[in-house]
Amino acid sequence: MNETKNSIYFIGIGGIGMSALARYFNHAGWRVAGYDRTPSPLTAALEAEGIAVHYEDSVDRIPEAFRNRAETRVIYTPAVPADHAELYWFRAQGFEVLKRSQMLGLLGEGRRVMAVAGTHGKTTTTTMVAHFNAVAAGEGSAFLGGISKNFDSNLVLGTGVRMAVEADEFDRSFLQLHPQAAVITSVDPDHLDIYGTYEAVREAFAQFASQVVPDGTLILKHGVSLPLERADIWRYTYHVTDSGADFHAENLSVDGGGYYTFDLVFPDRRIDRCRLGIPGLVNVENCVAAAALVWSEGFTSNDALREAIATFRGVQRRFDFWVNDPSVAGGTIYMDDYAHHPAELRAMLTSVRKMFPERELTVIFQPHLYTRTRDFAPEFAEALSLADRVWLLPIYPARELPIPGVASEMILEGIASPQKKLITKEQLLTEVGALETGGVLVTAGAGDIDRFCAPVADLVRRKNRDLYGCTEKA
């Protein structure tokens, strides 16, 4: 990096990964500003930290301090369109313009990069790695794809050379990384608008795995197969319960709130009676993966890792319980999740079913992207059929234009549950208000459905309180 430059301008600064980089450079004393399409809690937080953000794609809005190409570097997210006016102007003026993934790769130089890749599960697993590093190893920074509840941020600034990163397969971004240690949680077909075929997805993950440095460590989910030949790295597998994996859990038990206690098995040791600080069997699997990655880089003691597991508080929008009071048997439980791929939905809903087998399960799902809906409508319908009741919102387009004939109805018609319907955002709270108390309510999706979490939670709490005297708060 050219250290004569002291200003960084972000195009798409409100994205979860972009905002972490913006925070990093702002904390390091660089001049930071940027554009995003719409205001959000993340952009509000950036502005509160002293970063100038505007919401109009206009060259005139670029601050004067960021118009000197000798002093300014531009970082953009591939989610912005190619015809973005500001991005076009910076390129035309000869500025140094980098993708977010390229900058993350540069920041990893000289550090021990601990990367978590996978088509689902990577955000929670990476955040666990960051927390386990801090508590069990006493060091480490991190760039996260979600807001950690332990750190109250998507950026962790710690001592030492460890750097935990979420390795994103979108646009092949993770190929900018050369980690010392890596976990791959899953390799499912996704982002086919980018890759074209599932085989191309597998090839990209194999290339990422091949970029682990010599004498580094690769840890694969048990059952994941990649075309990879490397004799100069350490290779392991993990699984939530399969004893054939190098890392796994044994003697699992679950309490009424869905919190698991288990023994954690490593190749060289065993840590008994671990209790994960967040509920759900899917999170036990994430815990095994994170613990395996931290094991590969070392930690201080078994007791320290046990403490780290117990004190992990989770990630916003990942298996995120807003209302959950097991002592009130008749109250509704409300959870929100970022799941936006059929495999994620299936894993999340299966875990919820196991936690609350006697309760009626209602899911409000917002499909994300027209291409993903087109490519996986039957798989979405199959996963959502695990619920007793399904309400579908219109597709959240994100970076895409509508595709003729592609709509939420494509998913709806394949859902097995007879209690299914399309609703609008304007109807959502009314429908929740009319829902019979006592079941489990889940909102899911990667769009803007999270804007409803707080009002839905308030509504559920009021109904619980009015009927059962429940005073539980998030």
Side-chain angles (χ1 to χ4, degrees):
M1 283 174 38
N2 181 357
E3 297 304 333
T4 63
K5 297 184 178 181
N6 58 10
S7 301
I8 296 192
Y9 188 82
F10 288 86
I11 300 177
I13 196 169
I16 192 69
M18 292 282 281
S19 59
L21 281 175
R23 282 172 158 157
Y24 171 84
F25 283 105
N26 188 53
H27 184 273
W30 292 58
R31 203 160 40 199
V32 177
Y35 155 88
D36 207 79
R37 187 174 62 175
T38 56
S40 68
L42 263 178
T43 58
L46 295 178
E47 292 184 78
E49 294 167 22
I51 297 173
V53 182
H54 67 269
Y55 306 96
E56 179 187 357
D57 177 17
S58 169
V59 174
D60 293 339
R61 297 297 306 275
I62 300 170
E64 190 63 34
F66 296 85
R67 291 174 173 268
N68 184 339
R69 66 173 175 264
E71 297 180 353
T72 301
R73 177 179 288 110
V74 179
I75 310 298
Y76 74 100
T77 169
V80 302
D83 61 353
H84 190 278
E86 294 183 17
L87 181 60
Y88 179 85
W89 184 84
F90 279 117
R91 283 175 166 161
Q93 297 300 314
F95 281 73
E96 181 186 6
V97 178
L98 299 173
K99 289 183 181 180
R100 169 191 168 269
S101 57
Q102 291 174 296
M103 177 55 72
L104 197 58
L106 290 173
L107 291 177
E109 294 178 357
R111 307 193 190 201
R112 295 197 66 83
V113 175
M114 304 169 69
V116 180
T119 43
H120 56 88
K122 56 183 174 287
T123 297
T124 299
T125 303
T126 309
T127 309
M128 284 183 176
V129 171
H131 179 64
F132 294 177
N133 274 341
V135 176
E139 65 170 277
S141 58
F143 293 86
L144 306 174
I147 302 298
S148 162
K149 294 185 177 182
N150 288 93
F151 299 105
D152 193 29
S153 181
N154 53 351
L155 172 68
V156 179
L157 295 170
T159 60
V161 295
R162 298 185 187 205
M163 188 174 96
V165 298
E166 181 171 329
D168 188 5
E169 74 279 4
F170 175 72
D171 198 40
R172 295 177 170 84
S173 293
F174 59 176
L175 299 184
Q176 300 293 330
L177 300 172
H178 293 80
Q180 273 67 34
V183 159
I184 296 179
T185 65
S186 52
V187 182
D188 295 314
D190 196 11
H191 301 301
L192 298 185
D193 56 320
I194 302 293
Y195 287 96
T197 66
Y198 178 39
E199 186 56 35
V201 175
R202 293 185 71 248
E203 289 172 358
F205 273 93
Q207 185 176 342
F208 167 75
S210 74
Q211 292 178 187
V212 173
V213 301
D215 205 36
T217 301
L218 175 65
I219 303 166
L220 289 174
K221 168 75 177 293
H222 192 53
V224 169
S225 175
L226 292 175
L228 176 69
E229 294 184 8
R230 285 287 300 275
D232 60 343
I233 62 173
W234 299 89
R235 296 182 63 169
Y236 300 94
T237 60
Y238 80 94
H239 193 273
V240 63
T241 55
D242 193 327
S243 60
D246 299 303
F247 303 87
H248 59 274
E250 293 181 351
N251 299 323
L252 282 81
S253 62
V254 60
D255 65 17
Y259 291 82
Y260 281 82
T261 300
F262 52 93
D263 300 339
L264 194 54
V265 180
F266 297 84
D268 65 341
R269 74 185 77 185
R270 181 189 193 96
I271 306 179
D272 296 333
R273 305 297 296 170
C274 298
R275 184 182 188 274
L276 184 57
I278 57 173
L281 184 62
V282 65
N283 285 318
V284 178
E285 181 168 89
N286 293 333
C287 176
V288 175
L293 194 58
V294 174
W295 174 90
S296 73
E297 291 292 301
F299 54 90
T300 57
S301 72
N302 291 357
D303 288 341
L305 185 57
R306 188 186 290 110
E307 177 189 353
I309 292 168
T311 55
F312 182 70
R313 294 175 53 205
V315 187
Q316 291 180 16
R317 300 226 61 222
R318 269 67 174 187
F319 222 78
D320 191 2
F321 282 91
W322 285 71
V323 182
N324 182 18
D325 186 356
S327 67
V328 182
T332 296
I333 293 168
Y334 169 51
M335 189 194 89
D336 175 60
D337 195 83
Y338 192 71
H340 57 286
H341 183 276
E344 291 175 323
L345 269 178
R346 189 181 309 110
M348 180 267 289
L349 294 176
T350 299
S351 286
V352 172
R353 278 293 195 195
K354 288 181 178 179
M355 291 168 62
F356 309 106
E358 305 302 321
R359 290 179 178 257
E360 187 176 59
L361 175 58
T362 299
V363 177
I364 307 174
F365 178 60
Q366 181 186 46
H368 184 259
L369 297 179
Y370 290 101
T371 52
R372 187 178 283 123
T373 303
R374 177 199 63 196
D375 295 338
F376 301 114
E379 291 83 357
F380 276 119
E382 181 182 4
L384 289 165
S385 295
L386 292 168
D388 300 297
R389 181 183 294 106
V390 180
W391 299 336
L392 289 181
L393 290 168
I395 295 170
Y396 184 80
R399 60 188 180 270
E400 295 183 337
L401 295 174
I403 298 175
V406 177
S408 295
E409 286 86 345
M410 294 178 64
I411 298 173
L412 186 75
E413 63 187 20
I415 297 173
S417 171
Q419 299 188 73
K420 58 182 181 179
K421 63 181 177 181
L422 302 172
I423 65 171
T424 65
K425 294 177 186 177
E426 292 75 19
Q427 295 171 315
L428 192 152
L429 291 177
T430 300
E431 295 289 347
V432 171
L435 191 64
E436 185 176 350
T437 302
V440 178
L441 174 65
V442 175
T443 50
D448 60 358
I449 193 172
D450 61 311
R451 308 291 175 91
F452 290 93
C453 290
V456 166
D458 288 341
L459 183 56
V460 169
R461 290 191 198 103
R462 284 199 303 271
K463 292 183 67 175
N464 286 352
R465 182 175 60 247
D466 292 345
L467 290 172
Y468 302 101
C470 173
T471 59
E472 191 268 350
K473 296 182 179 180

